[in-house]
Amino acid sequence: RWALAALGLVALACAAASPVMPYQLAIKSAITIAVLAMVVTPLGAFVAWRAGSAPAGYYLFAWGFVVLGGMLLAADKLGLVPSSALTQHASQIGAAIESVVLSFALAARLNAERRMRERAQHDAERSREEARRLGDLSLRDALTGLYNRRRLDEHLNALSRDPQRRRWGAGNAQQ
């Protein structure tokens, strides 16, 4: 993680200095940083994948297609393999496959988030039902199941606060 952060800072510094740097130096710096990033990023993803990160596994799988495409293109340009439409466009094909794999990774992540949200909603509903059940139990006698004194007190307090009922109450002799 620290290596990726350091590389990011170096890239930021080079980008900031590039307008005043000689062109050759700016290009060589950018290429060097890109090559380092192509090594450091997959290594970091591998460490995360070994620690149990599923998204890192998707990233590594997708990155493998980009690397394979680049290697096929390089082999074509170096004359190591016969030239064909596949080898000429291998890097674009690798990037397209990478996009598809990362789309599946995103879909998996969205589905996992949806399942977590549904589980949280289900748990919240169960908690509300349990609270209602416990509230009802607090108003009933455990042996008979009839309303208890607490329920009677709450009911009488509610009646005394109701203006329609208070009008006919025994304490109001003026009516």
Side-chain angles (χ1 to χ4, degrees), residues 6-7 12 24 34 36 52 66 96 98-99 105 121 125 130-131 133 140-141 149-151 155 163 169:
L7 187 61
L12 188 61
Q24 287 294 94
L36 287 173
V66 173
E98 176 193 32
S99 296
Q121 287 173 341
E125 181 59 32
E130 183 66 12
R133 187 183 72 77
R140 294 184 179 271
D141 181 70
R149 176 63 188 253
R150 180 175 175 207
R151 171 69 167 105
H155 186 69

Side-chain angles (χ1 to χ4, degrees), residues 14-153:
C14 286
S18 66
V20 295
M21 294 170 80
Y23 179 74
Q24 287 294 94
L25 181 60
I27 291 297
K28 287 180 181 179
S29 299
I31 290 172
T32 302
I33 291 169
V35 169
L36 287 173
M38 289 178 7
V39 172
V40 171
T41 306
L43 285 176
F46 180 76
V47 169
W49 176 69
R50 293 283 295 173
S53 172
Y58 280 113
Y59 170 79
L60 285 172
F61 186 63
W63 183 250
F65 286 105
V66 173
V67 171
L68 182 63
M71 289 172 58
L72 263 174
L73 180 63
D76 174 62
K77 298 303 178 195
L78 294 172
L80 301 174
V81 295
S83 186
S84 69
L86 174 68
T87 59
Q88 297 254 331
H89 301 288
S91 61
Q92 289 91 344
I93 294 169
I97 294 172
E98 176 193 32
S99 296
V100 170
V101 170
L102 292 177
S103 295
F104 281 118
L106 180 59
R109 175 63 186 242
L110 291 174
N111 284 331
E113 292 290 329
R114 181 182 46 80
R115 283 190 300 272
M116 284 178 25
R117 186 182 67 247
E118 288 171 353
R119 189 173 347 176
Q121 287 173 341
H122 177 72
D123 290 347
E125 181 59 32
R126 276 195 0 229
S127 294
R128 282 191 294 272
E129 288 173 7
E130 183 66 12
R132 278 193 294 269
R133 187 183 72 77
L134 290 174
D136 187 55
L137 282 176
S138 73
L139 300 175
R140 294 184 179 271
D141 181 70
L143 184 61
T144 63
L146 298 174
Y147 286 124
N148 61 18
R149 176 63 188 253
R150 180 175 175 207
R151 171 69 167 105
L152 176 64
D153 289 343

